[in-house]
């Protein structure tokens, strides 16, 4: 069962004037049953899932009955049933007010001749899990996010965001520094995007890169097996890539302690020195996640951790032997992975390069390649002092889920660039 509440707020500041919208709220309760058929054949669905609105014993019985009917076999339902009409999950209350966060952001950020817009939301999700044959489990998950846009004459010239989970508060001062740096980059002279580039992924952008190129590639189910499912213990990536998925990361966006099957979450090794050591699979103990009862749970990643290099020498050497122009990528935007052939398309929102000893800003562009080739062609990763975090909401058929990553700087191999749909090449 699930109880969910979201509150949000927004505001703008122009010069000394500040306008604040105290926000809106949304709350709901749902009950769902997830049944896994371990005997399903390779071409059959392994999951039967049903959800109903509301809570209490009737909702539990209805969800279990619907899921069992879809599975095609009787199932008695959970051993623990609450008294009729009693709610298993009480309405949660956000611990932080989005309006206060927005007001704090706007007071920190003031730029002459520019308008600053900020919005924030906080979610509180209480879960009551009843795994078959086990004691019920309770978990409350807090997440939040804030977005800042800086506008000139109504057009966005810089934007930045931050997200958090649990009791880890957002660093407002650091967010302000990142906005100021983005404004400096936005004011740099522009140059054309080269046809081929090597990306130096900094400021946490390597997290978005790893999420698309590695994380989605290693999500595997009976209906959609990973393209690397038959390559266990084989070299599938550069030897400096050691990647784990850790849903219990203390500051990881969307961290949680139990899957929707009621099993404890755990760290999963995916790559070890480039060798494939694990997948995110639809097994009983798999990383089952879904946004809410409207969505079919699937094995999904949570927080990816890329191990840093023990020293910076490897990255320095790789930068001295590049075969294409190097662009520093500060932010990636929308990405996609085609699970049929592994084609990845990444949107580069904020990137710079050095030319004639001066900093130049590149207009937004895209890069594309085959995910397995990208992983093998990575040139180097940075040391511990380049570590940064990344957070975002990931969209899939199992809904909009908070995900994150902790990564050092990453240098890719040469990649082909494409013009951004809304920006012609200069």
């Amino acid at each position: 069962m699930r109880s969910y509440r979201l509150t949000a707020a927004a505001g703008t500041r122009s010069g000394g004037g500040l306008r604040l919208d105290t926000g809106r709220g949304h709350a709901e309760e749902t009950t769902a049953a997830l049944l896994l058929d371990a005997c399903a054949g390779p071409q059959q669905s392994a999951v039967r899932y049903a959800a109903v609105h509301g809570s209490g014993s009737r909702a539990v019985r209805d969800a279990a009955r619907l899921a069992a009917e879809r599975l095609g076999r009787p199932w008695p339902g959970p051993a623990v049933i609450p008294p009729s009409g009693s709610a298993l999950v009480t309405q949660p209350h956000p611990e932080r007010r989005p309006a206060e966060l927005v007001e704090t952001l706007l007071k920190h950020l003031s730029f002459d001749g520019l308008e600053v817009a900020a919005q924030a939301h906080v979610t509180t999700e209480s879960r009551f899990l009843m795994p078959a044959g086990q004691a019920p489990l309770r978990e409350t998950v807090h997440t939040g996010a804030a977005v800042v846009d800086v506008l000139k004459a109504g057009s966005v010239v810089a934007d930045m965001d931050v997200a958090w989970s649990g009791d880890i508060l957002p660093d407002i001062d650091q967010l302000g520094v990142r906005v100021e740096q983005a404004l400096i980059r936005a004011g740099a002279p522009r140059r054309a995007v080269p046809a081929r580039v090597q990306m130096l992924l900094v400021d946490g952008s390597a997290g978005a890169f790893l999420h698309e190129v590695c994380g989605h590639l290693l999500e595997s189910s009976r209906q959609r097996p990973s393209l690397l499912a038959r390559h266990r213990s084989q070299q599938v990536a550069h030897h400096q890539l050691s990647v784990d998925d850790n849903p219990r990361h203390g500051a990881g966006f969307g961290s949680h302690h139990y899957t929707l099957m009621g099993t404890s979450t755990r760290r999963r090794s995916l790559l070890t020195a480039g060798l494939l050591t694990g997948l995110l699979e639809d097994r009983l103990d798999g990383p089952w996640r879904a946004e809410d009862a409207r969505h079919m749970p699937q094995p999904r990643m949570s927080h990816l951790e890329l191990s840093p290099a023990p020293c910076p020498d490897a990255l320095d050497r790789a930068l001295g032997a590049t075969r294409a122009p190097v662009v520093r990528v500060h932010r990636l935007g929308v990405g996609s992975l085609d699970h049929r052939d592994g084609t990845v398309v990444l949107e580069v929102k904020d990137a710079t390069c050095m030319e004639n000893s001066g900093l130049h800003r590149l207009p937004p562009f895209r890069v594309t390649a085959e995910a397995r080739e990208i992983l093998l062609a990575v040139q180097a990763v940075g040391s511990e002092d380049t570590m940064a975090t990344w957070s975002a909401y990931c969209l899939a058929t199992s809904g909009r889920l908070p995900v994150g990553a902790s990564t050092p700087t990453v240098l890719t191999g040469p990649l082909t660039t494409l013009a951004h749909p809304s920006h012609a090449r200069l």
Side-chain angles (χ1 to χ4, degrees):
M1 296 185 61
R2 171 184 180 273
S3 176
Y4 173 88
R5 172 168 288 182
L6 178 146
T7 56
T12 58
R13 174 175 181 151
S14 181
L18 190 152
R19 300 190 306 274
L20 185 65
D21 176 0
T22 54
R24 59 192 184 279
H26 170 72
E28 64 178 28
E29 286 191 341
T30 52
T31 301
L34 169 63
L35 307 183
L36 183 68
D37 184 3
C39 301
Q43 303 303 319
Q44 300 174 3
S45 175
V47 178
R48 290 297 182 269
Y49 181 71
V52 297
H53 287 290
S55 60
S57 58
R58 180 174 180 177
V60 172
R61 290 192 180 96
D62 286 347
R65 174 181 55 79
L66 288 170
E69 289 175 357
R70 294 172 183 175
L71 188 63
R73 63 183 63 172
W75 188 65
V80 179
I81 295 291
S84 178
S86 68
L88 292 180
V89 183
T90 58
Q91 283 287 6
H93 298 283
E95 296 180 353
R96 301 172 189 87
R97 293 178 57 83
E100 294 173 356
L101 287 167
V102 169
E103 189 173 12
T104 302
L105 277 168
L106 294 176
K107 286 181 178 178
H108 274 67
L109 299 172
S110 178
F111 307 104
D112 291 339
L114 300 173
E115 183 178 54
V116 181
Q119 54 184 314
H121 74 256
V122 173
T123 64
T124 303
E125 182 178 352
S126 294
R127 299 172 180 169
F128 191 99
L129 304 167
M130 293 183 291
Q134 300 180 38
L137 303 165
R138 285 185 184 271
E139 180 177 24
T140 300
V141 179
H142 298 281
T143 56
V147 179
V148 175
D149 292 325
V150 182
L151 302 94
K152 183 176 183 179
S155 297
V156 176
V157 292
D159 64 297
M160 199 60 61
D161 56 67
V162 64
W164 63 93
S165 284
D167 296 321
I168 307 298
L169 289 168
D171 188 336
I172 299 299
D173 290 335
Q174 181 58 34
L175 179 60
V177 170
R178 292 169 59 200
V179 172
E180 291 172 356
Q181 292 172 343
L183 277 173
I184 292 173
R185 294 193 296 270
R190 288 197 172 195
R191 65 143 294 174
V193 180
R196 298 270 285 174
V197 299
Q198 287 183 242
M199 298 193 301
L200 184 64
L201 297 154
V202 300
D203 296 342
S205 62
F209 169 85
L210 199 68
H211 174 89
E212 295 293 347
V213 175
C214 180
H216 279 308
L217 184 64
L218 298 182
E219 291 172 336
S220 188
S221 66
R222 286 178 173 88
Q223 293 75 40
R224 195 185 65 193
S226 166
L227 292 174
L228 294 176
R230 298 182 179 180
H231 294 77
R232 289 182 185 270
S233 302
Q234 296 181 27
Q235 194 81 31
V236 297
H238 188 272
H239 66 86
Q240 287 192 36
L241 294 182
S242 291
V243 180
D244 291 350
D245 182 65
N246 182 14
R248 296 194 173 213
H249 188 282
F253 189 43
S255 296
H256 57 289
H257 288 79
Y258 298 100
T259 73
L260 292 187
M261 289 294 291
T263 60
S264 294
T265 55
R266 59 181 174 85
R267 177 190 290 268
R268 298 171 190 271
S269 174
L270 302 178
L271 300 177
T272 302
L275 298 176
L276 179 61
T277 49
L279 295 168
L280 300 163
E281 298 178 277
D282 59 350
R283 299 168 47 169
L284 181 61
D285 63 345
W288 295 96
R289 299 186 71 194
E291 179 184 352
D292 56 36
R294 298 170 301 171
H295 304 279
M296 172 74 79
Q298 290 181 337
R300 298 279 299 276
M301 73 192 101
S302 297
H303 190 91
L304 298 179
E305 297 178 346
L306 173 59
S307 299
C311 62
D313 293 355
L315 181 58
D316 291 342
R317 289 196 300 270
L319 286 170
T322 54
R323 305 189 303 277
V326 175
V327 298
R328 292 176 64 89
V329 176
H330 302 273
R331 292 193 73 195
L332 290 175
V334 177
S336 65
L337 170 73
D338 189 327
H339 291 272
R340 296 168 297 180
D341 60 11
T343 300
V344 169
V345 178
L346 297 172
E347 176 195 24
V348 181
K349 293 184 66 176
D350 185 353
T352 57
C353 67
M354 295 299 296
E355 187 176 80
N356 299 325
S357 301
L359 181 71
H360 286 71
R361 171 77 179 270
L362 301 179
F365 63 96
R366 295 176 299 166
V367 295
T368 183
E370 203 276 330
R372 292 165 290 185
E373 294 177 0
I374 295 177
L375 289 174
L376 285 167
V378 164
Q379 299 298 291
V381 301
S383 55
E384 179 73 31
D385 60 0
T386 68
M387 292 291 292
T389 58
W390 166 83
S391 56
Y393 286 100
C394 178
L395 299 176
T397 55
S398 52
R400 179 175 176 265
L401 288 173
V403 293
S406 300
T407 60
T409 295
V410 172
L411 177 65
T412 72
L415 295 168
T416 299
T417 66
L418 302 172
H420 194 275
S422 60
H423 291 78
R425 288 234 176 131
L426 297 182

